[in-house]
Amino acid sequence: MSIDLTPLNLRELNTLIRTAQERHKALTSRPPAEKVRRKLIADAKRAGYTIDEVFGLDADQAQPKTKATRRRKGPKVKPKYRDPENRWNTWTGRGKMPLWLASKVRFGHNPTDFLIPGVAKLTPKEKVLTGKRKLFKQG
């Protein structure tokens, strides 16, 4: 790790040294995390609990999952469109159109030109009613 110290003046350099020494002292004075972990597990076991019961989380989690952090698992969607110039550029047809496809559409191509043959079918749009609608009043 290299840090460029040349733009620092004497006061900034002394402040940096002082804060680095304080941080070093704080890190070296605390016990290792494994030792603290073992002590917590032993204290919980002595009281008749498991770590999961005490902290309310799985053993491999650092924080409990909230509703906002959970992600809904859905089925994996196969790509529907592929860039012929770069086969790794794909799009499922969901969400915002990717930049590679948007730029090609902007230059006159049609998105159907990039459908993957045999995999993708064009999704039919809802039919738009043409003509006038008639309103019948019942009375």
Side-chain angles (χ1 to χ4, degrees):
M1 177 174 90
S2 64
I3 301 172
D4 185 21
L5 302 175
T6 53
L8 300 178
N9 62 26
L10 186 60
R11 184 183 327 157
E12 292 170 334
L13 195 55
N14 286 333
T15 305
L16 178 66
I17 291 170
R18 190 171 39 257
T19 55
Q21 287 173 340
E22 290 170 2
R23 178 72 177 144
H24 182 266
K25 190 162 118 181
L27 288 175
T28 56
S29 65
R30 69 181 191 177
E34 183 58 37
K35 186 176 180 181
V36 173
R37 189 178 299 118
R38 280 189 303 231
K39 185 178 182 219
L40 288 172
I41 291 170
D43 288 345
K45 192 180 280 188
R46 216 175 301 119
Y49 293 100
T50 64
I51 286 292
D52 298 341
E53 291 174 323
V54 172
F55 291 109
L57 32 110
D58 296 337
D60 60 334
Q61 281 181 317
Q63 297 175 353
K65 280 192 175 181
T66 61
K67 201 170 201 176
T69 59
R70 277 187 253 145
R71 206 177 140 247
R72 192 177 124 207
K73 297 275 183 171
K76 180 83 173 163
V77 180
K78 292 183 179 179
K80 192 173 182 180
Y81 301 91
R82 176 172 285 133
D83 184 5
E85 295 170 11
N86 182 354
R87 68 185 207 102
W88 299 107
N89 287 342
T90 59
W91 183 43
T92 61
R94 295 183 178 186
K96 187 177 175 184
M97 187 182 290
L99 293 176
W100 65 267
L101 185 56
S103 67
K104 293 188 190 269
V105 168
R106 200 176 314 117
F107 288 110
H109 288 281
N110 193 345
T112 57
D113 300 339
F114 302 99
L115 284 171
I116 299 173
V119 175
K121 295 177 188 157
L122 199 56
T123 308
K125 301 257 182 192
E126 291 183 21
K127 292 185 179 180
V128 178
L129 297 174
T130 56
K132 295 182 179 179
R133 294 184 181 177
K134 294 183 180 179
L135 180 63
F136 295 102
K137 290 187 178 180
Q138 295 179 352

